[in-house]
Every structure is written in structure tokens, then in C-alpha cells.
């Protein structure tokens, strides 16, 4: 983290977990455990049907609610899809875009790019995900692969909007496996992502953008990961479903830093 230049963001990704009733219960417990005072930015990205309950529960707090996906089109014949202005109207502040689980369902870099542009246009903070497979890591093409995902995902994002984008580095082999990237591995890739943003935009913008790590981040390993200079927060799956664990990760993000 480097709080002097950029925001620290701790974001939960609930994936396909919890009903609206369970959301309400989680929020009650979570609120009771949260400390007051200065905190990093906190986001909880929840299933679409849980958004109203989450927004209602977190209205008076600093926790921003987000969606896990959006459609890039403004409206129309897209059965089952949700447009960015609908998310905004429902009270969302964030939207996860290009998660590897969605890419595995066929989402392309062009789709990711269109969604990032639509989210920015609507005033949402896109959390744009990238990450390599184990095969790609073993073939030693991680950096090139990630650089390509970042370039394609950010295509057409104007200079005055780039700081609004949050990037999440999630190595696919570390997601839900309990196999976390080492702080050094995660730092190396996050540093590389910042270098790509520097090339595409400017040093100032690269210094200001928040880059998160995701992949089996939990209350035990968060402190060490977040101590790295280019890891500005976390995108947390499993551990964000348990209020006690999520709160501990937020506390780890409040450690003194350089
Ligand atoms: P886990 O924390 O469960 O590994 O999931 C990470 C993730 O995919 C967050 O988007």
C-alpha cells in the first residue's frame, strides 16, 4: 500500500453466495463489528438480488455496495442482463468486471473493455480483473499476458477517468484454492500493472491508481500482502462471506505503511 498517493480498497466478492435474507443478517453482524474512525475504502460486491438489502443496510456507513457484473448496453433486448444505470439507481458504487469466472463463461477482453467504459460513463467504479492461469505462469508469460489484458481492458478510457478504475490482479490458480500467491509474486505483477498504466497514461496516473490482489486472501495472509508497496488492497472471495474474517482483513489494511 501507499496511502500517500492512492486509496486502499478492501472489496468483497460474494460470487453466487447468500440470499437477500442472509445478506441482511451478514450486514447486521458486520456493522456491529466495524470500528469507527478512519478506514480504507470498503466495498461489498453481492449478487444482483441482494443489492437492495445490502444498500439499505449500509446506507449510513462508509461501505459501498457493488455488483458482480453488468451489461455494456444502455437498455434493450438482453434478457437477464443488468445495465449500469440500473445498478446506479439501485445504489451501487462499484461493479466487478472481467472476473476470471466470467471470462471462463466466454467473456472476452472486448466485452470487458465495453463494460469498463459503460461503468465509467454511469459513474460507477469498475473493479477490472486480470490474471493468468497456472499454465501461463509455468510458461513464463504472466507479465505479457497481464499487460495485454490491461491494455485491451482500458482501451479508450480517457486520461481524466483512469484514476477512477480499480484494477484487481487475481491469478486464476490462487482463486478458491487456498493457494495464495506469495507477497513477492503478487507484488511483482502489481508493479508490472502499474508500469503498463504508466506507459499508457502517465507517472502521475500510475501512482494514483489502486491495484488490488485477489486469490485466497484471508485474515491470516492479508497483512503481509498489503505491506507490499504496489498492493493497494484486496478482492476477497470466501473470506468476505464471514464478517469476522472480513473485518480482520480491513484491520490489516489499516496497518502503518511507508
Ligand atoms: P477467494 O478469495 O475465494 O480465493 O476468491 C478470490 C476471488 O475470486 C475474488 O474475486
Amino acid at each position: 500500500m501507499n496511502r500517500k498517493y492512492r486509496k486502499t480498497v478492501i472489496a468483497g466478492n460474494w460470487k453466487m453466495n447468500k440470499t437477500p435474507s442472509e445478506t441482511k443478517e451478514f450486514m447486521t453482524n458486520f456493522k456491529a463489528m466495524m470500528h469507527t474512525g478512519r478506514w480504507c475504502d470498503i466495498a461489498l460486491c453481492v449478487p444482483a438480488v441482494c443489492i437492495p438489502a445490502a444498500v439499505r443496510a449500509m446506507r449510513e456507513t462508509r461501505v459501498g455496495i457493488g455488483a458482480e457484473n453488468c451489461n455494456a448496453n444502455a437498455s434493450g433486448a438482453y434478457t437477464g442482463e443488468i445495465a449500469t444505470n440500473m445498478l446506479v439507481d439501485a445504489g451501487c458504487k462499484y461493479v466487478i468486471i472481467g472476473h476470471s469466472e466470467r471470462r471462463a463463461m466466454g467473456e472476452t477482453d472486448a466485452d470487458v473493455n465495453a463494460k469498463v467504459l459503460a461503468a465509467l460513463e454511469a459513474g460507477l467504479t469498475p473493479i477490472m480483473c486480470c490474471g493468468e492461469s497456472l499454465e501461463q505462469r509455468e510458461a513464463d508469460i504472466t507479465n505479457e499476458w497481464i499487460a495485454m489484458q490491461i491494455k485491451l481492458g482500458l482501451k479508450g478510457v480517457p486520461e481524466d477517468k483512469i484514476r477512477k478504475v480499480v484494477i484487481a490482479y487475481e491469478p486464476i490458480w490462487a482463486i478458491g484454492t487456498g493457494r495464495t500467491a506469495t507477497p513477492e509474486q503478487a507484488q511483482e505483477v502489481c508493479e508490472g500493472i502499474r508500469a503498463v498504466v504508466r506507459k499508457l497514461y502517465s507517472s502521475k496516473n500510475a501512482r494514483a491508481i489502486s491495484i488490488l490482489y485477489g486469490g485466497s486472501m484471508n485474515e491470516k495472509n492479508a497483512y503481509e500482502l498489503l505491506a507490499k508497496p504496489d498492493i493497494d488492497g484486496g478482492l476477497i472471495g470466501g473470506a468476505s462471506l464471514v464478517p469476522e474474517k472480513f473485518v480482520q482483513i480491513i484491520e490489516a489494511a489499516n496497518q502503518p505503511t511507508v
Side-chain angles (χ1 to χ4, degrees), residues 13 15 96 99 101 170 174-177 214-217 235-239:
N13 173 12
K15 310 191 177 185
I96 296 173
H99 192 281
E101 287 154 16
E170 298 205 314
I175 295 175
T177 57
S216 298
M217 195 190 236
L235 183 56
I236 298 119

Side-chain angles (χ1 to χ4, degrees), residues 122-173:
L124 290 164
T125 296
I127 302 177
M128 187 183 89
C129 303
C130 61
E132 84 286 5
S133 65
L134 191 57
E135 294 69 38
Q136 288 166 329
R137 175 157 286 266
E138 283 169 352
D140 211 12
I141 56 165
T142 298
N143 293 340
E144 291 84 345
W145 177 257
I146 302 288
M148 186 199 68
Q149 284 188 321
I150 298 297
K151 278 183 204 153
L152 295 175
L154 293 179
K155 210 168 152 193
V157 172
E159 172 107 36
D160 64 338
K161 292 240 173 89
I162 183 63
R163 290 176 191 215
K164 181 89 197 218
V165 179
V166 172
I167 296 174
Y169 166 55
E170 298 205 314
I172 296 169
W173 47 272

